[in-house]
Amino acid sequence: MSLVDLPPSKGGPVLPGDVRAFLREAEQRIEQFQAAGHVPGFVPSDFERVYSVLHDLAAEELTPGKLFCEWGSGFGVVACLAAMLDFDACGIEIDGTLVAEARQLADDFDLPVQFVRCSFIPNSAEPGDAYGWLSIDENDTHDELGLAPDDFDIIFAYPWPDEERLTEDLFERYARAGAVLVTYHGGDEFQLRRKKGRGSRRR
Ligand SMILES: C[S@@+](CC[C@H](N)C(=O)[O-])C[C@H]1O[C@@H](n2cnc3c(N)ncnc32)[C@H](O)[C@@H]1O
């Protein structure tokens, strides 16, 4: 195991007004989207809690740099929150309707976040690897982003319970040394882990 646990978040600050306004709008759009029953595999995180965790990681400079990626970005809210905390953020999402919603939301709030419609599983993953129903990247995700999985300093994911192990394995195998994996598991449960090794770069 090359991952070490980081201390849990202390709880973050009171939400700034611009973040509150952004989340109000995002949550309204998500409610309408879900009422139309578009993508059953999409379940949003608790965004206020995620903001607190990302805020603490940024404030305490616990990531080696500022490159952030949301694996399975859904509506893109977490990647947008990361951009509001000055991370250079992008999101990878398999469902095209969600990518369109995420791009619109980021545009409407002038947030510089790139979303690509692809799988976050690199196409270099071995065909025999047990990645369940998760699709392997068929679109050269990382070419489209101009970034490789080991460029990122911080990855966020909200995996379904049966994908937790796969998410961890992918991170362990492909992320750079020093990168941080933040996973949300429902309620107030998060895991914060760092990949061991040299990786102290901070941009
Ligand atoms: C539980 S939702 C979380 C959405 C978002 N990250 C959030 O926290 O609000 C998981 C998302 O991952 C997407 N997804 C599942 N497998 C994927 C894959 N291989 N590559 C990219 N996205 C994927 C789903 O379409 C869904 O939007």
Side-chain angles (χ1 to χ4, degrees):
M1 171 57 73
S2 65
L3 303 185
V4 285
D5 288 331
L6 293 176
S9 160
K10 295 187 185 111
V14 174
L15 285 189
D18 59 338
V19 175
R20 261 188 284 124
F22 168 75
L23 287 184
R24 231 185 348 261
E25 176 64 23
E27 281 166 354
Q28 229 168 56
R29 292 186 194 189
I30 289 172
E31 209 176 299
Q32 283 168 8
F33 182 86
Q34 289 187 309
H38 284 308
V39 184
F42 164 62
V43 178
S45 296
D46 180 323
F47 299 125
E48 292 195 18
R49 288 193 163 113
V50 176
Y51 181 84
S52 291
V53 169
L54 297 183
H55 174 276
D56 286 358
L57 285 171
E60 293 174 30
E61 303 200 347
L62 290 175
T63 63
K66 288 290 200 178
L67 267 184
F68 176 103
C69 188
E70 184 177 8
W71 280 355
S73 46
F75 239 76
V77 176
V78 174
C80 286
L81 290 175
M84 292 171 108
L85 287 163
D86 290 333
F87 285 103
D88 300 320
C90 66
I92 301 172
E93 167 58 51
I94 200 82
D95 182 274
T97 54
L98 284 168
V99 173
E101 293 287 352
R103 285 179 179 155
Q104 188 66 58
L105 184 64
D107 278 359
D108 290 346
F109 284 83
D110 279 331
L111 295 167
V113 186
Q114 188 183 1
F115 291 102
V116 292
R117 195 213 68 78
C118 284
S119 173
F120 57 79
I121 301 176
N123 52 13
S124 53
E126 299 291 321
D129 286 345
Y131 290 126
W133 64 273
L134 289 169
S135 0
I136 304 251
D137 180 5
E138 77 275 24
N139 275 356
D140 283 334
T141 310
H142 297 93
D143 284 357
E144 208 170 321
L145 285 172
L147 294 165
D150 64 354
D151 282 325
F152 291 103
D153 301 299
I154 170 167
I155 301 285
F156 173 85
Y158 177 12
W160 285 88
D162 61 348
E163 295 165 5
E164 286 173 4
R165 188 57 200 274
L166 303 175
T167 304
E168 184 183 314
D169 286 352
L170 277 176
F171 179 82
E172 201 169 357
R173 189 187 306 189
Y174 293 104
R176 62 180 291 245
V180 171
L181 173 65
V182 178
T183 49
Y184 179 59
H185 303 277
D188 60 358
E189 206 187 318
F190 286 87
Q191 274 194 287
L192 278 68
R193 288 164 285 186
R194 183 195 297 288
K195 185 165 170 177
K196 281 187 203 163
R198 286 166 61 85
S200 55
R201 163 178 58 107
R202 175 114 195 146
R203 284 187 280 262

